[in-house]
Amino acid sequence: MAPLRTALLQGPGGIPGSVGDSLAVLADAARQAAEQGARLLVTDEMFLTGYALGDRVAELAEPAGGPAQARVAEIAARHRIGIVYGAPEREGDAVFNTARFVGPDGGLLAVYRKTHLFGDYERNVFTAGAEPVVQAELDGVRIGLLICYDVEFPEPVRAHALAGTELLVVPTALMRPYEVVPRTLVPARAYENGLFLAYVNRCGPEGSYDFTGLSCLAGPDGVVRARAGGAGELLLADADLAMLRAARAQTPYLTDRRPELYRSLTDG
């Protein structure tokens, strides 16, 4: 099986609050990524609207099947590339911080709602999701979804690994001074769980935040295959399942676990 070439779109997206501008950025990135052989394009958290919008997030949140979602589907189908993108999603009175996975034919493959909300801002604006493991397949690779703060907890990533996730994609809006997360924690999560991890961050100032960038694709051996700096960038790297299987055989954390010893930790 050929490696899955994955494109990581780091940037501020479009102008915060302008969904149309973000869609234009996405269309150009999808074209560039597809021309370079990518089969999957991943954006940052809240890509379509911007992150630091306060109460405007609720105004811009779309229900399932909204016009912006239809436009992303058109972009994916035109360039024959899968797209994972961040956006606010409305269901009744609830607003979720969501990652949507659209296939290369434009069909919806998966929807994940952020389960671990960070800080007062997110807790005041969003409702927490309740489904910890969401997956879909692309070109024979099992892809899982988390969002930003979720990956900083060991349990969701381990749950993905045990459920068979091979490439975990994490749209992110990580601000300073938490650079330790992409530099240290993300490669460690990939290594301890034997999976590829695509961590795609925003960058630059927005509202009161200064996003760190440092997007990366880390491998199951803990080695970072591609790393962005602090500016906007389109990164490409491969997720190779043959390499993943070799890494899991060499470092068998998943098979050497003794869950009966840990039950008291999770039951509490």
Side-chain angles (χ1 to χ4, degrees):
M1 180 185 298
L4 181 68
R5 178 147 294 180
T6 303
L8 285 61
L9 177 58
Q10 173 172 292
I15 299 169
S18 173
V19 174
D21 194 55
S22 296
L23 287 168
V25 171
L26 183 67
D28 186 58
R31 176 188 59 79
Q32 292 184 56
E35 288 174 352
Q36 297 179 71
R39 289 287 291 158
L40 177 65
L41 170 65
V42 185
T43 79
D44 55 75
E45 181 180 6
M46 297 286 288
F47 170 84
L48 279 189
T49 60
Y51 178 87
L53 295 176
D55 292 340
R56 287 205 63 204
V57 170
E59 299 173 18
L60 294 170
E62 283 190 359
Q69 296 169 22
R71 178 71 178 119
V72 175
E74 292 172 5
I75 292 169
R78 177 183 306 124
H79 299 289
R80 302 300 298 171
I81 189 170
I83 298 175
V84 175
Y85 69 100
E89 177 194 17
R90 174 175 293 283
E91 184 178 283
D93 293 332
V95 175
F96 298 93
N97 184 333
T98 297
R100 300 178 70 84
F101 185 5
V102 177
D105 62 353
L108 182 64
L109 297 180
V111 178
Y112 172 75
R113 293 166 169 176
K114 188 174 185 178
T115 54
H116 297 78
L117 301 179
F118 178 77
D120 291 340
Y121 167 54
E122 289 194 7
R123 295 187 188 103
N124 289 334
V125 172
F126 297 111
T127 297
E131 189 172 1
V133 176
V134 172
Q135 300 168 310
E137 286 201 6
L138 177 64
D139 293 355
V141 178
R142 187 171 295 184
I143 296 169
L145 307 177
L146 291 178
I147 299 174
C148 196
Y149 195 39
D150 293 326
V151 81
E152 298 180 37
F153 295 83
E155 295 89 350
V157 186
R158 179 52 54 87
H160 268 279
L162 294 175
T165 292
E166 294 160 325
L167 170 60
L168 183 60
V169 298
V170 187
T172 296
L174 182 84
M175 62 286 293
R176 301 183 192 279
Y178 302 112
E179 291 90 342
V180 66
V181 175
R183 291 196 184 280
T184 302
L185 192 148
V186 166
R189 286 281 179 270
Y191 179 70
E192 69 190 4
N193 291 288
L195 45 71
F196 285 94
L197 203 163
Y199 185 83
V200 188
N201 197 15
R202 300 180 72 80
C203 63
E206 184 184 333
S208 61
Y209 303 108
D210 186 10
F211 296 107
T212 66
L214 300 176
S215 300
C216 64
L217 191 143
D221 55 358
V223 175
V224 173
R225 267 47 185 187
R227 167 79 71 189
E233 190 171 348
L234 183 66
L235 292 174
L236 282 93
D238 292 337
D240 184 346
L241 293 193
M243 186 267 163
L244 180 148
R245 288 190 287 270
R248 287 186 174 180
Q250 184 172 356
T251 310
Y253 289 139
L254 298 181
T255 55
D256 286 350
R257 295 179 318 117
R258 295 188 60 196
E260 70 277 6
L261 301 181
Y262 323 140
R263 199 157 291 123
S264 63
L265 300 176
T266 56
D267 288 349

